[in-house]
Amino acid sequence: MDKKNILLLTTGGTIASKPGGQGLEPQRSDVMERELEQLRTYYRITVRDLICLDSSNITPEEWQLIARHIYEDRVGFDGVVVSHGTDTMAYTASAVTFMLPNIDIPVVFTGSQLPLADMLSDGPENLRTAFAMAASGHPGVFLAFDRKVMLGCRAVKIRASGFSAFESVNARYAAQVTNRGLAVDTSVLPVPGGPPRLADALSQNVFLLKLTPGLNPAVFDVLAAMGYKGIVIEAFGLGGVNVLHKGLRGIRRAVEDGISVVVTTQCLYDSSDLRVYQVGNQLLDLGVIQGRDMTTEAAMTKLMWALGQNMNPEQVKDLFEKSLAGEITENPDETGK
Ligand code: ASP
């Protein structure tokens, strides 16, 4: 049988780390060679080292570099695997999802909690799951970890050290490793709506604010003065915000100043819904945008992407009504969750 042609782009992270003087240090792909040699039994693999960073140091510039390489280098490959540190992998996978609309091959992010150099590493298994998904013929941006594959825009890192480090939030897995091999749930996969594009412009003027009881509303004036054009508020429960004690004043001013304000929830699971409580409806009256059941990572990167495409507040609002790649449940009754 013809082997599938897979491109591996490496970016560093624990998976490619070795102990150094101050703890684990990311290395280039030579430290992955032993495992790649085994995978070459099944796939034709081309490796390109893009960057070599602990993912804590990855910024939107690296997201753009990764997206450009995937888009430009993918020609002739059946799929792309991106090895990445786990700490910010969900942000990168979400951002890359939006920067590569209608991507026409599978792009699969993966990493590990223990370096490949460690005999007990989870890296070999994660790489194998990622390669299997990359060879599956199902286009989209995914994250593979602990024998599960999820949409990149639904992934959240939920454990700092446990091997089951990622969860697909408010969406079923795109695929799972079973005793019959990789079982893909095609109902989860994104449906391409046109030719693939590279849309890599991003705005970095987006701030994530986690609400706390009694937060000083003057913080919104400070953010406006700093030039922020978008704010994601992680509110309480279904989307509650402290509206007493001038709590709304700052948000009202931000919206009036043309800042796009997206309200999501601090809860990991389920959707925010501002229509349920008086405090939520007061927010909606101000013109804030509902984040619905998006992850914080998806809400942040979607807003950075929308503002990077020079959308005005009305266009941003319309965009957040739509699911671009499965980041929002458009028909909540159909999720089965
Ligand atoms: N600090 C590492 C990183 O994100 C953690 C990991 O890869 O698991 O690069």
Side-chain angles (χ1 to χ4, degrees):
M1 204 176 69
D2 250 7
K3 289 183 188 174
K4 292 278 172 84
N5 218 356
I6 308 293
L7 173 64
L8 170 65
L9 301 175
T10 79
T11 71
T14 295
I15 192 163
S17 282
K18 270 183 158 176
Q22 294 180 302
L24 290 176
E25 293 170 3
Q27 315 285 317
R28 296 171 67 82
S29 58
D30 1 325
V31 294
M32 303 172 80
E33 226 6 86
R34 190 183 50 188
E35 185 52 34
L36 293 178
E37 215 25 66
Q38 302 220 354
L39 281 165
R40 286 200 176 90
T41 317
Y42 308 99
Y43 307 104
R44 235 172 320 130
I45 303 174
T46 304
V47 186
R48 281 180 202 149
D49 292 328
L50 289 191
I51 41 183
C52 187
L53 289 173
D54 186 295
S55 77
S56 321
N57 284 323
I58 284 189
T59 68
E61 275 86 39
E62 278 82 34
W63 301 345
Q64 289 170 317
L65 179 93
I66 294 168
R68 282 177 205 140
H69 270 277
I70 294 170
Y71 187 78
E72 281 155 20
D73 300 355
R74 79 188 196 290
V75 181
F77 289 98
D78 296 297
V80 179
V81 172
V82 184
S83 61
H84 194 289
T86 61
D87 289 345
T88 65
M89 185 156 63
Y91 279 99
T92 307
S94 276
V96 166
T97 301
F98 299 123
M99 288 190 280
L100 296 176
N102 306 317
I103 186 70
D104 50 0
I105 58 172
V107 173
V108 192
F109 284 80
T110 197
S112 69
Q113 293 283 52
L114 254 184
L116 275 175
D118 192 300
M119 202 257 296
L120 297 174
S121 174
D122 52 331
E125 190 173 289
N126 292 344
L127 273 179
R128 281 172 209 183
T129 308
F131 271 79
M133 190 64 196
S136 71
H138 295 293
V141 178
F142 304 98
L143 189 150
F145 220 87
D146 196 31
R147 296 182 178 236
K148 291 163 270 198
V149 180
M150 53 203 87
L151 295 182
C153 57
R154 289 290 195 170
V156 174
K157 185 172 182 187
I158 55 157
R159 287 198 175 81
S161 55
F163 287 133
S164 202
F166 286 86
E167 199 39 88
S168 177
V169 170
N170 298 329
R172 286 193 290 256
Y173 297 123
Q176 290 188 79
V177 179
T178 71
N179 62 351
R180 287 163 289 117
L182 190 72
V184 177
D185 182 344
T186 50
S187 71
V188 177
L189 303 177
V191 184
R197 283 189 302 129
L198 173 68
D200 60 346
L202 293 171
S203 167
Q204 296 208 30
N205 291 321
V206 177
F207 191 85
L208 171 62
L209 189 149
K210 181 166 183 166
L211 205 64
T212 50
L215 178 89
N216 183 343
V219 72
F220 292 100
D221 300 331
V222 174
L223 294 176
M226 288 177 74
Y228 280 102
K229 295 282 175 271
I231 302 173
V232 175
I233 302 178
E234 265 194 2
F236 308 125
L238 280 173
V241 169
N242 21 13
V243 294
L244 298 176
H245 315 297
K246 306 190 185 126
L248 278 189
R249 196 190 57 194
I251 300 178
R252 175 179 295 117
R253 257 204 244 135
V255 174
E256 283 169 2
D257 281 355
I259 296 175
S260 296
V261 178
V262 177
V263 177
T264 63
T265 172
Q266 294 176 13
C267 300
L268 181 58
Y269 291 105
D270 305 334
S271 180
S272 59
D273 186 350
L274 298 176
R275 294 162 308 179
V276 177
Y277 292 100
Q278 187 188 30
V279 288
N281 278 301
Q282 288 175 333
L283 273 182
L284 281 179
D285 291 344
L286 298 185
V288 304
I289 299 166
Q290 298 223 55
R292 296 159 61 180
D293 71 339
M294 259 189 287
T295 65
T296 296
E297 290 84 341
M300 275 296 288
T301 53
K302 187 170 179 175
L303 190 51
M304 293 171 79
W305 184 79
L307 295 173
Q309 311 302 302
N310 290 322
M311 293 186 187
N312 64 37
E314 262 324 297
Q315 292 170 315
V316 174
K317 200 165 192 182
D318 286 349
L319 188 81
F320 272 74
E321 291 294 317
K322 292 183 222 136
S323 170
L324 301 180
E327 74 280 8
I328 298 177
T329 304
E330 286 189 308
N331 233 330
D333 297 337
E334 289 175 8
T335 57
K337 281 241 168 188

